[in-house]
Amino acid sequence: MLNTKIVQLLRVMPEQEVKAFFKYAAGGVGKNSLMADLLALLKKHYPDELTDEYLSEAEVAKALREQRSKSVLPKSITEATSRLYSLLEDFLILEKLNPKSAAGMEKTNRQKRRDLLMLEIFQEKGAHNLFERKSEQVRQLVQQPEYLSIWSLFDQLYLNHLLYFSTNDTKKKETETGQERLIVLTRLLDDFYEAAHTLYQAELKNRENVLDDPLPVDNHAKLTVDDQTAAENRPLDLLRRGLNLAKGLNDAYTDGAKLDTLLAFYIEHGQKFSPDLQMILHGYCVNAMSRQGRNQDASVNTAIFEDWYNNAALNEMLHHHNLLTSNRFMNTIATACVEKETDWAEAYLSQNGNKLPDTEQEVAIAIAKSMIAFHKGQYDRVHQLLALRKAVPSRLEARARTFQLLAFVEQDAGYDIIMDHCKNFQDFLSSHQDIGESAKVAFLNLLKVIKAITNNKNAKAVFEKLDGEPIMCQSWIKQKIY
């Protein structure tokens, strides 16, 4: 036991901190346990007798045998010592995050670390109101650091990353506020890189001066094929490749080769990424497949459902890490319904509806239920579900209006009713700038086709004229006009 990690740490810890640990550990070892006996032995010999004379393996075994009136196996002593050391690690981490046990700048720094960690926890647990309130407190701490450090820049970068990727209010991503947050993130990243790069370059130059021998400019030997393959599979290189592929796909959504490359990369390496990055890459793949599949057969939608949405491992990860957004929830329901998997959609809704952010849960569930009812031909129920909806984010309201309108068309509700709803929907889209331009065009194109159907014009020609443009509810349109 003399050379164990716990003894090495106790030797270098301040006496007051060691005594606090003994008090902390006493509540976690249980009475009459081997851990309790080891803790008592350490307390007895602290601080001056943590030596070979008292804590050699033989001496510890002897002391425990006398204390417990029976021999103790060496393996049992090792296991108990390891668990006791884990308690010490827990204690030290809590102390590191405890602002009450520090003063001055260190107190502020500890509070900042603690608050950033709590933000992570609130986000993971889905405590959205607490997340919003805490984020305002943390913002003040990170934006006004008491001392200059490259890590103070990193704290600002990390806070803004958490804010942008929070599932609490995805509406913010789709507005100018979301764009502003991304701009802030890129600026903070540039600031952090510039500060860190300058520091490390200064250190590198200092090494050259100390060694009085400039380092070679290029000390990278030419890699063999095997070395190159190994290098490309290093974590940092995989991260860069994945994000570069995603960016390239976003630059050219209609490039089938880029989609195939990202899909292959995701299938091979996706599990190596953090859950939030997996979902970002997953979203890019699904969006690109949807866009590229608009002019293809129904097999694309089938592949999206079977491989991406009806995926137990992915859905469990979403639940476990609180990554389920209202958008993904309703996209899953919509895709399942198009595939005539309404029973699956109802089961998914029942299992996952209560996991959505509180601010959008009620209306998202109502819209999801209306989509299922629509695909079951229960058009009156669509109107019942959506009639009493409360004020909701614009993107959800647009979905609700879409299925109300489709239900009226299917019911042949009459020219005036359908055209009035088309006009109201069009006015709604023009007055809400927080709906993305691509989504707005897709809704407006759907209205063009509905107007053509209602006016008994050649809806097929109108639809085919929109070839290559975004348009909502293409599966329904094709069933209606072909």
Side-chain angles (χ1 to χ4, degrees), residues 288-290 292-294 296-305 339:
M289 289 178 72
S290 298
Q292 294 185 24
R294 282 176 179 151
Q296 298 175 22
D297 58 40
S299 64
V300 175
N301 193 79
T302 302
I304 292 174
F305 174 68
E339 288 298 299

Side-chain angles (χ1 to χ4, degrees), residues 27-77:
V29 297
K31 295 181 179 179
N32 303 319
S33 68
L34 185 55
M35 285 175 66
D37 291 342
L38 283 170
L39 184 64
L41 189 62
L42 289 170
K43 289 174 67 175
K44 176 182 177 181
H45 294 298
Y46 180 82
D48 298 325
E49 295 177 348
L50 299 181
T51 65
D52 190 55
E53 181 179 355
Y54 299 99
L55 294 179
S56 66
E57 291 185 10
E59 288 299 323
V60 170
K62 178 182 177 182
L64 291 174
R65 184 170 60 250
E66 292 174 353
Q67 193 166 342
R68 302 179 71 84
S69 302
K70 62 179 180 180
S71 297
V72 182
L73 294 173
K75 180 180 179 181
S76 299
I77 296 175

Side-chain angles (χ1 to χ4, degrees), residues 199-213 215:
L199 171 64
Y200 302 146
Q201 286 294 325
E203 281 294 294
L204 184 60
K205 185 63 179 177
N206 185 52
R207 289 299 92 203
E208 295 177 10
N209 292 338
V210 170
L211 296 171
D212 196 24
D213 181 21
L215 295 174

